[in-house]
Amino acid sequence: RSRNLHKAHFWGELESRWEPLLEDIAKGRRVPDVIRPLVKPDEELYFVDLIMRRAVAAPAQQTSIYRDLAAPYLKVLSERVATGDREQRARAVHTLAVLGEQQYLPVFMKALEDKSPLVALLSARALATWGEPAVAEHLLPALQRFEAWNPNVLASLLVSLGKTVAPSLRTNLRNT
């Protein structure tokens, strides 16, 4: 209980330091650079977590603001995809999928091979959102691993790839 109280107090301090500026940045009253000096190196993952919580609740037009805010700290998070425990790896993949850009596609491709089915699923979903034939070439061979998944999940994943990958999908399914 004491540890939880300490953690809550720590989070409260961080949020009270960052939230007012984040609100101003989200509303366009300040530029993202004003908050960076307030994020200490050992607080970067906490900051990304706060940005992630705000990003998923924000209107779509604010997504790019949160991506810009998170960008300098995502490299540290991308390393966690390979080094964290199962939950940390899954959360890192999900966060990179929401806040990251195309430079993290290799991270998702490698995470398709993760021993955790959840990490692999989140990686597959992240790759599918790009809907590019080059990405599909890496994702489609991994579909055999996902045979035990709910067919609706797989169908949703394949649909999100888009029409441009249909020829690759047909070839891949024909060869299995």
Side-chain angles (χ1 to χ4, degrees), residues 36-49:
R36 291 195 177 107
L38 299 178
V39 180
K40 298 173 186 164
D42 61 335
E43 299 169 347
E44 291 176 350
L45 293 177
Y46 295 102
F47 184 66
V48 171
D49 190 62

Side-chain angles (χ1 to χ4, degrees), residues 43-166:
E43 299 169 347
E44 291 176 350
L45 293 177
Y46 295 102
F47 184 66
V48 171
D49 190 62
L50 178 60
I51 291 173
M52 177 68 172
R53 285 188 284 146
R54 290 183 64 105
V56 296
Q61 64 267 26
Q62 290 182 350
T63 303
S64 65
I65 294 170
Y66 290 113
R67 281 186 167 179
D68 290 345
L69 282 165
Y73 312 107
L74 294 181
K75 182 165 178 22
V76 172
L77 188 65
S78 73
E79 293 164 3
R80 183 167 273 192
V81 173
T83 61
D85 63 32
R86 181 181 60 217
E87 289 80 14
Q88 289 172 334
R89 293 190 318 271
R91 185 160 178 89
V93 166
H94 180 63
T95 301
L96 288 171
V98 172
L99 297 174
E101 297 289 340
Q102 207 162 2
Q103 76 259 30
Y104 294 104
L105 288 177
V107 173
F108 300 136
M109 289 177 199
K110 184 161 176 37
L112 275 176
E113 301 165 9
D114 194 280
K115 61 186 173 203
S116 165
L118 177 60
V119 174
L121 169 64
L122 291 171
S123 298
R125 284 189 155 300
L127 287 168
T129 60
W130 291 98
E132 296 179 15
V135 170
E137 289 175 23
H138 292 277
L139 180 58
L140 295 177
L143 289 179
Q144 290 178 339
R145 177 177 181 195
F146 308 138
E147 285 178 350
W149 289 0
N150 180 313
N152 293 331
V153 171
L154 277 176
S156 170
L157 180 72
L158 293 173
V159 166
S160 66
L161 284 169
K163 293 178 183 177
T164 59
V165 301

Side-chain angles (χ1 to χ4, degrees), residues 14-22 35 38-39 43 47 50:
L14 293 178
E15 289 180 4
S16 67
R17 185 174 0 133
W18 297 331
E19 278 290 350
L21 285 173
L22 285 174
I35 201 163
L38 299 178
V39 180
E43 299 169 347
F47 184 66
L50 178 60

